Amino acid sequence: MTTASPRPARAALPPGSRLPALLQTALFLAAPGRASRRARRRYGPAFAVRFLGFPPEVMVTTAELAEKIYALDAGGARAGEVRRQFLEPLVGRHSLLSLDGDPWWRHRKLLSPPLHGKAIARYGEDIAKIAAAEIARWPQGTPFALRDGLQNITLDVILRLVFGIQDTARLARLRRLIPELIAVGGSPALLLTPPRISAWTQRSPLAKRLTFLPTTRFLRLKEAVDQLLYAEISHHRAHPVEGATDVLSRLLEAQDEDGTPLSDEELRDELITLLEAGHETTATALAWAFERLLRTPEVLAALRKELKQGTSERYLEAVTKEALRSRPVVYNAPRLLDAPLKLGRHEVPAGWRAGPLISLIHRDPEVYPDPEAFRPERFLGDDAARAQKGWMPFGGGRRYCVGAQLALLEMRVITREILTRLDLTAPEAAAELPRLRHVTLVPAHGTRVVTHRRPPS
Ligand code: HEM
């Protein structure tokens, strides 16, 4: 008698809540931190979640597991596909955020050099000037949301240093239109409009007149912004400036291996991409840095001391890193799996999403003892290498944030400018809670502060 050889046991799916997707979505939207911490406690470092309208997802909460997901950027998963659904209406079809495969790689090779450390090294002085002009406009003695003021600075950095806009009228129009475009483009009313209705509103002459429709408002704003961007691109083409350092000028000169430059449409899409990915994120990161600094007086005092001495910026750099660790702006960097992914004894099927949950990876007590404490010293001295290893506010793998060096430079320069010009206090002692805004976590009240000008030292 022959006995059938035992079949290899099928790896189990990652564990997770059995609540209906609607309820899981509602719980996550209401309190993302609490919901993910509870899942981590109950199911371990890799758990499954189901959100309404999305494929099932495994979220991982350690750096080792995250690296397994990032490794798939070389083949086996797509990041662009995950982002396309939300971003394509704004960033178009030729965006580093939403492309995958060879077209993505071509764009990545063209966009990386102008955003690299050496290329942006000279931006420091210009960022300081932009910050100083904006800080001078902030109210004194009355509470306001610091994040709004920070966003004016980071928008100007993109418009003037990345797009290289000199024309003051065009600059003024873009300063007004872009925040509106981004607000309407990311509004729940637009994101929840069914694709068929959205397609109809784009075609129908009648819908184009119904300005109360979110899709119509979005299209009108987008057209107005596009007109200005195409005008800027053709101005740059017609009047190239020798030695210009803005990113657009460098992109106009860039060519791929076949000698093909980016077309106007590709340039437009990439400019909007850099704006969408780089302006609110950096302002939010700075808002969190101040939210933490104002509630950790000993860290603020140590930072002020270093800035006063003016001989080193080591502690400033560590403060920036600790702010991005303790309050990462982008909480998750998911990929769509093209092939099954083994995670320990679990197997995640193709077609699922797999996301490093950055907000919990940064709270792993094995890597960051006392993770709730705001302690820049983690990134200095003997512990620095360990802290750095688990630090991933800019994601990882081949899709690592292309603007990370610019963001870190902005954070250092703007923090320094604010602290040397202003005394700041938080009108409320309680910490601000994180609130979900698209794919980011923002301070619930935009970091409320009261400022007073410091006498020149
Ligand atoms: C503190 C500010 C910022 C944070 C926290 C941040 C975070 C991130 C994260 C988490 C990703 C996804 C990485 C992944 O999937 O593994 C990303 C991608 C990206 N970021 Fe940033 N970012 C910031 C600033 C910027 C700036 C200033 C720019 C450009 C001016 C920028 C441009 C981009 C682009 C184009 C991508 C897509 C890269 C690709 O898929 O190849 N970001 N960023």
Side-chain angles (χ1 to χ4, degrees):
M1 202 172 85
T2 52
T3 47
S5 55
R7 274 204 196 167
R10 263 192 80 184
L13 289 174
S17 166
R18 285 163 188 265
L19 289 174
L22 177 63
L23 211 53
Q24 289 194 41
T25 312
L27 288 171
F28 189 80
L29 289 178
R34 193 174 342 130
S36 46
R37 280 195 300 274
R38 189 185 297 147
R40 162 79 181 82
R41 263 198 316 276
R42 210 174 268 182
Y43 306 111
F47 55 83
V49 291
R50 284 170 198 273
F51 295 141
L52 209 60
F54 294 94
E57 177 166 348
V58 63
M59 288 183 166
V60 306
T61 62
T62 66
E64 288 72 28
L65 292 173
E67 291 304 337
K68 289 191 178 221
I69 296 174
Y70 294 138
L72 299 175
D73 287 347
R78 283 165 291 153
E81 180 69 34
V82 174
R83 304 170 186 158
R84 191 166 311 141
Q85 183 180 357
F86 288 113
L87 289 176
E88 200 163 284
L90 180 63
V91 298
R93 293 178 302 125
H94 311 283
S95 158
L96 198 58
L97 280 164
S98 57
L99 289 169
D100 281 307
D102 291 344
W104 166 77
W105 186 227
R106 172 175 177 258
H107 277 234
R108 180 86 192 196
K109 282 191 288 184
L110 292 173
L111 262 88
S112 294
L115 288 162
H116 198 260
K118 260 201 205 140
I120 59 162
R122 290 186 24 216
Y123 286 4
E125 257 176 52
D126 291 325
I127 296 172
K129 277 191 205 143
I130 291 171
E134 171 62 22
I135 293 166
R137 286 192 281 269
W138 290 353
Q140 303 292 298
T142 46
F144 72 101
L146 186 64
R147 187 170 169 272
D148 295 343
L150 292 165
Q151 221 162 277
N152 293 338
I153 301 176
T154 57
L155 176 59
D156 252 30
V157 168
I158 300 271
L159 293 179
R160 289 163 60 180
L161 305 186
V162 176
F163 295 8
I165 301 180
Q166 309 280 345
D167 180 300
T168 44
R170 204 175 290 149
L171 201 57
R173 286 205 69 203
L174 283 168
R175 274 192 197 124
R176 191 175 57 75
L177 288 170
I178 280 171
E180 247 186 281
L181 176 68
I182 289 182
V184 179
S187 70
L190 190 80
L191 296 177
L192 296 176
T193 305
R196 276 171 60 188
I197 298 195
S198 181
W200 171 75
T201 49
Q202 288 180 39
R203 283 192 318 266
S204 154
L206 169 68
K208 282 187 185 154
R209 269 180 281 157
L210 304 177
T211 45
F212 61 87
L213 287 177
T215 40
T216 307
R217 281 190 58 213
F218 174 72
L219 285 176
R220 285 194 173 185
L221 283 163
K222 188 166 160 276
E223 265 169 35
V225 167
D226 281 358
Q227 242 179 34
L228 293 166
L229 291 184
Y230 281 120
E232 190 58 43
I233 293 169
S234 73
H235 177 82
H236 263 69
R237 274 200 202 286
H239 308 279
V241 176
E242 174 104 22
T245 55
D246 60 273
V247 174
L248 174 56
S249 293
R250 288 173 167 151
L251 284 178
L252 281 165
E253 286 166 11
Q255 295 180 348
D256 63 18
E257 286 119 8
D258 305 333
T260 316
L262 291 168
S263 68
D264 279 9
E265 194 188 343
E266 287 175 316
L267 283 166
R268 176 266 169 216
D269 288 359
E270 290 300 14
L271 290 183
I272 284 284
T273 294
L274 297 178
L275 181 92
E276 165 72 6
H279 117 85
E280 287 198 324
T281 43
T282 311
T284 301
L286 278 158
W288 276 125
F290 278 91
E291 193 278 344
R292 292 292 77 204
L293 279 171
L294 296 185
R295 284 164 184 84
T296 328
E298 64 283 6
V299 174
L300 181 57
L303 179 56
R304 280 201 181 283
K305 193 170 158 205
E306 182 189 78
L307 292 176
K308 193 158 181 231
Q309 283 167 347
T311 48
S312 153
E313 293 204 336
R314 260 186 96 222
Y315 198 68
L316 172 59
E317 195 175 316
V319 165
T320 303
K321 287 186 175 168
E322 176 66 347
L324 286 163
R325 179 203 69 84
S326 72
R327 295 293 187 274
V329 176
V330 179
Y331 64 91
N332 185 11
R335 274 55 171 162
L336 184 71
L337 297 178
D338 290 326
L341 166 68
K342 284 278 278 174
L343 290 177
R345 38 194 193 84
H346 303 298
E347 185 170 287
V348 191
W352 278 44
R353 300 184 358 163
L357 192 54
I358 300 168
S359 46
L360 287 196
I361 293 169
H362 283 185
R363 280 185 173 74
D364 183 346
E366 299 285 320
V367 185
Y368 304 106
D370 193 6
E372 295 307 321
F374 186 66
R375 200 181 288 154
E377 289 72 14
R378 298 178 202 279
F379 290 94
L380 299 166
D382 295 345
D383 292 342
R386 184 174 57 159
Q388 190 68 42
K389 218 167 159 233
W391 189 73
M392 48 185 76
F394 298 106
R398 296 171 91 191
R399 305 299 294 240
Y400 181 80
C401 173
V402 76
Q405 292 178 351
L406 175 59
L408 289 170
L409 175 67
E410 284 186 70
M411 286 185 72
R412 287 196 302 276
V413 173
I414 297 168
T415 303
R416 191 186 59 213
E417 289 303 313
I418 292 175
L419 287 178
T420 45
R421 284 159 203 280
L422 300 175
D423 280 323
L424 300 98
T425 48
E428 288 87 24
E432 291 197 23
L433 292 176
R435 190 169 52 80
L436 259 182
R437 193 179 146 91
H438 322 317
V439 292
T440 62
L441 293 171
V442 300
H445 305 292
T447 301
R448 270 168 49 86
V449 292
V450 176
T451 68
H452 291 281
R453 229 154 257 140
R454 279 168 86 82
S457 52

